[in-house]
Amino acid sequence: MKVRLLITGAAFWCASMGLAAQTVPATVKRAEASINGENIRAHVKFLSDDLLEGRGPGLRGSEIAAKYIATQFALDGLKPAGDNGTYFQQVKFVGMKVVPEKTSFAFVPEHGEAMPLTFGDDYTVMNETLTPEATVDAPIVFVGYGITAPEFGWDDYAGVDVKGKVILCIVGDPPSNDPRFFGGKTLTYYGRWTYKFEQAARKGAVGALVIHRTDLASYGWDVVKNSNTSEKTFLRDDKNPQLEAASWVQLEVARRLFAASSMNLDTEMAAAGRRGFKAVELPVRLKADITSKVRPYESPNVVGILPGANADGRDQAVMYTAHYDHLGFVPGMKGDNIYNGAADNASGCGMLLELARAWTAMGVRPPHSVIFASVTAEEQGLLGSEYLGQHPPIPAGQIALDINYDMILPIGIPEQVDVNGAQRTSFYPEVEATAKGMDLAIVPDPHPEAGDYYRSDHFSLSRVGIPAFSVGTGVLFQGHDAEWGRQVLDDYTEHDYHNFSDNYHAAWDFRGNAKLDRFGMELGWEAISAPATIQWNTGDEFEAARKASERQPR
């Protein structure tokens, strides 16, 4: 149980049954109680209106959304925390869209005929160097899973130089049932395709071919195709090494590639998952000419701050994040051509705005700062939050916690909460105790092999060391059984997620969104009132980044 004491108005921490506990002042409780689902409804209804044309980054509707959010921050009395005394942190992007009819891609073996591939059906490719043209003519090196993980004694690049070459690798982690080795069944960041591309570029490769397999990726080829054949956005000023050809290939295409090298795909993939694997250069070259349409544009993160009493000293701020962008619209399409994104993520944005109102209406200056950031370009690969992590309003080492809200379907009052990632931090006992106090049962990640933790904006903050997680629901809602909740959520995923039908509905019940806002507000108070800065658990993949951020000067 929690023990709550009030000593001279300050938060006092103690331990009871192994859990940390602290007093939440009455002013905070009153502010929590003021959180109103109907206020969230009003924000969601506006942000998902056709007027905003799907809030595509760099387009008119996205600009309207950003100005609306900034206006709400100003009305609440938040201080601007963007560029030049404004709420806007402008991010420079470049949109890249492959021109299929001007792009060619072929495997050319030393002996035998070339194997031309079909864009979209056999492969996808993006030119990360952001130039209109790229030409690749280089040997292909199979590097297993394409991972360098010294903490696991694993290096797929050992003994091979891939500079100027194209690497071929498998999506996912090496197979493991041991949680101490690549997370067991839980996907680590090493298994994500983004890491594969990043590591290949760091090693000097000009291209990377990631082999798709549905069970390892946790999604089918259609997801890969749809995500990589339309315009894809990159940070214009990213200083990290980039690939000229960042590509996915179908499993059967990879099978043909290995066959042309007198090798068996299944045998090589099995060998790649065992210790002792050695990278091998195939007797095949990739010859590719990639033509892209290049569209530079800007879109802002919207950032406000409620300064804390200790903000002039060493801060220990809490940050709340939610992305406001979505997929825009399809010009010239007949009928409903707007991706309104009511659940994804006008819902999280509305919750962020109601939290900002509640914190500023509290009437008491918090012990440390509270930051509110509505970020752009999440749908383009967490790019707005990546920029925010690289350019935080205060040093990352002085941000105790990030709580993110993303796609909270308004279907009633939840009795379960998903806080995946919180268990990796020293703050988890408080999360457990707070959830229990609000009659919320914490549910485990239902699909740890899918790596969902790496797919929302909190991940960008984790990468710079900030303890971070998203708050979501489980499947159990008040007045219903778990099967009802599962069916409603599955129906949204199947029919409305990233579809034109993700629209606002007057029948939506926002009481649950308000409850999760109260949960987040109480967690935020506990974080900024803690006697010590929240840390990642010993051995966690983000622990080193946290320690590095705390060494940075103010």
Side-chain angles (χ1 to χ4, degrees):
M1 60 178 290
K2 275 189 174 181
V3 178
R4 301 188 181 277
L5 302 173
L6 188 63
I7 299 179
T8 63
F12 179 79
W13 282 64
C14 61
S16 176
M17 298 177 65
L19 297 179
Q22 71 170 92
T23 298
V24 176
T27 51
V28 179
K29 283 296 189 181
R30 284 195 294 271
E32 284 180 19
S34 77
I35 291 174
N36 189 334
E38 292 308 299
N39 293 343
I40 299 172
R41 178 192 299 277
H43 295 309
V44 172
K45 186 176 182 181
F46 176 78
L47 289 168
S48 60
D49 191 88
D50 282 356
L51 172 70
L52 277 71
E53 299 175 334
R55 308 185 305 279
L59 303 178
R60 184 183 76 100
S62 174
E63 184 177 351
I64 293 172
K67 289 183 175 180
Y68 175 83
I69 294 163
T71 299
Q72 297 300 318
F73 284 174
L75 289 170
D76 293 333
L78 294 180
K79 301 295 184 184
D83 304 331
N84 304 315
T86 72
Y87 292 102
F88 303 114
Q89 183 186 59
Q90 291 292 344
V91 188
K92 294 179 173 62
F93 297 105
V94 177
M96 299 290 291
K97 188 177 189 305
V98 170
V99 182
E101 59 271 21
K102 295 182 179 180
T103 295
S104 62
F105 210 81
F107 296 145
V108 183
E110 286 182 0
H111 306 288
E113 296 183 359
M115 294 184 288
L117 303 181
T118 301
F119 180 72
D121 294 332
D122 295 329
Y123 78 99
T124 66
V125 67
M126 282 291 168
N127 173 11
E128 297 179 338
T129 63
L130 310 184
T131 59
E133 306 285 341
T135 298
V136 175
D137 184 355
I140 298 171
V141 182
F142 178 52
V143 293
Y145 284 87
I147 292 171
T148 302
E151 68 272 34
F152 300 130
W154 192 278
D155 187 1
D156 287 322
Y157 287 91
V160 65
D161 182 5
V162 300
K163 189 173 183 180
K165 301 177 183 180
V166 174
I167 69 100
L168 172 70
C169 69
I170 308 163
V171 70
D173 289 324
S176 171
N177 292 314
D178 182 355
R180 297 166 298 179
F181 183 68
F182 286 105
K185 296 299 183 183
T186 301
L187 187 76
T188 72
Y189 186 60
Y190 291 120
R192 292 280 288 152
W193 59 269
T194 47
Y195 169 83
K196 315 292 187 181
F197 289 158
E198 291 163 1
Q199 183 66 355
R202 285 191 288 264
K203 291 292 185 178
V206 295
L209 308 168
V210 175
I211 301 170
H212 174 266
R213 204 174 86 180
T214 298
D215 59 327
L216 298 179
S218 79
Y219 42 81
W221 179 255
D222 283 349
V223 173
V224 175
K225 179 179 177 178
N226 294 339
S227 300
N228 291 279
T229 53
S230 56
E231 183 183 80
K232 198 166 183 67
T233 296
F234 300 86
L235 291 173
R236 190 196 72 177
D237 299 325
D238 191 342
K239 303 303 181 186
N240 294 311
Q242 304 294 336
L243 301 171
E244 292 181 76
S247 174
W248 285 82
V249 294
Q250 284 262 40
L251 181 67
E252 291 309 309
V253 171
R255 193 177 301 280
R256 290 162 50 199
L257 172 58
F258 276 107
S261 307
S262 300
M263 300 166 71
N264 178 273
L265 170 72
D266 298 324
T267 301
E268 297 306 319
M269 288 183 68
R274 296 191 292 265
R275 289 195 182 277
F277 166 81
K278 299 295 183 185
V280 58
E281 184 169 318
L282 306 182
V284 181
R285 300 178 73 86
L286 172 67
K287 290 191 175 183
D289 291 297
I290 304 161
T291 299
S292 306
K293 292 181 180 179
V294 182
R295 180 177 72 96
Y297 67 92
E298 292 187 8
S299 182
N301 294 325
V302 189
V303 191
I305 188 169
L306 176 61
N310 294 344
D312 294 333
R314 179 95 184 157
D315 215 339
Q316 189 175 303
V318 65
M319 177 185 285
Y320 296 99
T321 50
H323 75 91
Y324 70 87
D325 68 292
H326 198 50
L327 302 175
F329 65 99
V330 180
M333 176 181 170
K334 293 183 179 179
D336 185 0
N337 67 337
I338 298 174
Y339 292 99
N340 297 85
D344 184 18
N345 184 39
S347 65
C349 231
M351 294 171 71
L352 181 82
L353 292 173
E354 178 64 355
L355 269 172
R357 183 207 61 76
W359 273 98
T360 54
M362 190 165 55
V364 174
R365 193 176 186 187
H368 293 279
S369 300
V370 185
I371 302 166
F372 301 88
S374 191
V375 296
T376 187
E378 187 272 353
E379 304 287 9
Q380 299 295 325
L382 316 183
L383 294 180
S385 58
E386 180 179 345
Y387 188 87
L388 177 67
Q390 295 170 354
H391 305 86
I394 64 175
Q398 296 185 39
I399 300 176
L401 180 69
D402 170 64
I403 296 175
N404 185 60
Y405 290 97
D406 190 354
M407 205 170 74
I408 314 294
L409 203 61
I411 57 173
I413 300 175
E415 295 182 349
Q416 296 174 330
V417 65
D418 182 351
V419 289
N420 183 34
Q423 75 279 8
R424 300 166 61 169
T425 74
S426 61
F427 192 56
Y428 192 52
E430 272 303 310
V431 176
E432 289 182 304
T434 303
K436 184 177 181 180
M438 293 189 173
D439 296 321
L440 289 166
I442 295 176
V443 293
D445 183 358
H447 300 290
E449 73 284 354
D452 286 341
Y453 182 82
Y454 307 104
R455 299 181 182 183
S456 196
D457 286 308
H458 60 256
F459 171 56
S460 297
L461 287 311
S462 300
R463 297 188 77 175
V464 297
I466 300 168
F469 57 89
S470 289
V471 171
T473 69
V475 297
L476 189 60
F477 293 81
Q478 193 175 100
H480 303 279
D481 60 17
E483 184 57 30
W484 178 88
R486 189 175 292 108
Q487 288 180 1
V488 171
L489 294 171
D490 286 349
D491 182 74
Y492 169 81
T493 301
E494 183 177 352
H495 297 107
D496 302 325
Y497 175 65
H498 282 197
N499 209 333
F500 301 111
S501 55
D502 186 3
N503 298 316
Y504 166 79
H505 298 280
W508 271 352
D509 182 351
F510 286 88
R511 292 177 298 166
N513 301 68
K515 181 174 182 175
L516 293 185
D517 257 0
R518 296 185 195 104
F519 177 64
M521 185 171 187
E522 188 150 325
L523 289 179
W525 181 267
E526 291 164 344
I528 61 177
S529 304
T533 304
I534 298 167
Q535 300 292 335
W536 292 99
N537 294 339
T538 301
D540 191 88
E541 63 186 297
F542 304 116
E543 180 189 20
R546 185 59 165 174
K547 290 181 177 178
S549 72
E550 291 177 335
R551 291 193 295 268
Q552 294 175 354
R554 292 186 69 247

